[in-house]
Amino acid sequence: MEDTNLIGRSLGVLQYVLGASPEYLQRRGIPQSIDDLTQHACLRHLLGGRPQAFTFADGTRVIPNGPFDSDDAQSLIEAVIKGVGITQFMRIAIEDELAAGRLNVVLPGIPMFTTPVYVLHAFGRQLPLRARLFIDFLVDALGVSRNLSL
């Protein structure tokens, strides 16, 4: 944001969590520490053909090793719901599955990294109505005022 002429507005913070199905956790046990993840099937999200590390707020990074790789988040969600293993998700992407009990957060006491989310525009201070309405829609949809776990 420092190197831009664009105007930005914060939409909140994207939080990441590790998730697994209750069935997987019952079958394989519940990890109690980051080190315990090495004893579990950790599914890999590929970005540019490379597995993305599970990254924790303290800077600890774990390269997952497991039975399933995908560059598609929805495929990973479906695999985890079916009990294939554990993986890292944007919390907002699995909120419905968490609420329905199809997924559980793994290592809830160990915070993962967060990513700030901004909307950027080049309209200056005179924002067109259509852009202002869209930004207001995003703020409402993402729950910025509630400081929701995006």
Side-chain angles (χ1 to χ4, degrees):
M1 291 272 308
E2 295 90 29
D3 267 354
T4 182
N5 292 327
L6 300 174
I7 304 292
R9 177 170 176 191
S10 174
L11 295 181
V13 176
L14 207 57
Q15 294 187 341
Y16 289 79
V17 295
L18 295 176
S21 71
E23 295 77 18
Y24 174 86
L25 296 172
Q26 184 176 24
R27 186 175 73 247
R28 296 287 305 270
I30 299 171
Q32 301 298 313
S33 70
I34 294 171
D35 290 337
D36 288 352
L37 293 172
T38 62
Q39 305 302 314
H40 286 269
C42 294
L43 312 185
R44 300 187 309 183
H45 183 235
L46 302 178
L47 187 59
R50 300 179 134 173
Q52 295 302 293
F54 294 172
T55 306
F56 296 86
D58 68 0
T60 302
R61 295 170 49 89
V62 174
I63 301 294
N65 189 15
F68 185 75
D69 297 346
S70 179
D71 63 357
D72 178 65
Q74 190 59 44
S75 296
L76 288 167
I77 291 170
E78 291 173 19
V80 171
I81 288 171
K82 291 180 180 175
V84 177
I86 299 170
T87 200
Q88 177 177 273
F89 297 104
M90 289 182 291
R91 186 177 181 103
I92 195 170
I94 61 167
E95 203 62 55
D96 291 344
E97 286 74 15
L98 292 170
R102 291 187 293 269
L103 291 180
N104 293 344
V105 174
V106 175
L107 300 176
I110 304 174
M112 300 198 74
F113 78 104
T114 60
T115 302
V117 179
Y118 293 88
V119 62
L120 301 176
H121 63 83
F123 296 112
R125 300 281 177 217
Q126 297 301 318
L127 197 61
L129 179 61
R130 69 183 185 277
R132 187 175 332 116
L133 291 173
F134 181 68
I135 292 170
D136 289 345
F137 165 77
L138 290 174
V139 168
D140 288 343
L142 297 176
V144 173
S145 63
R146 294 179 284 156
N147 199 14
L148 188 69
S149 302
L150 295 182

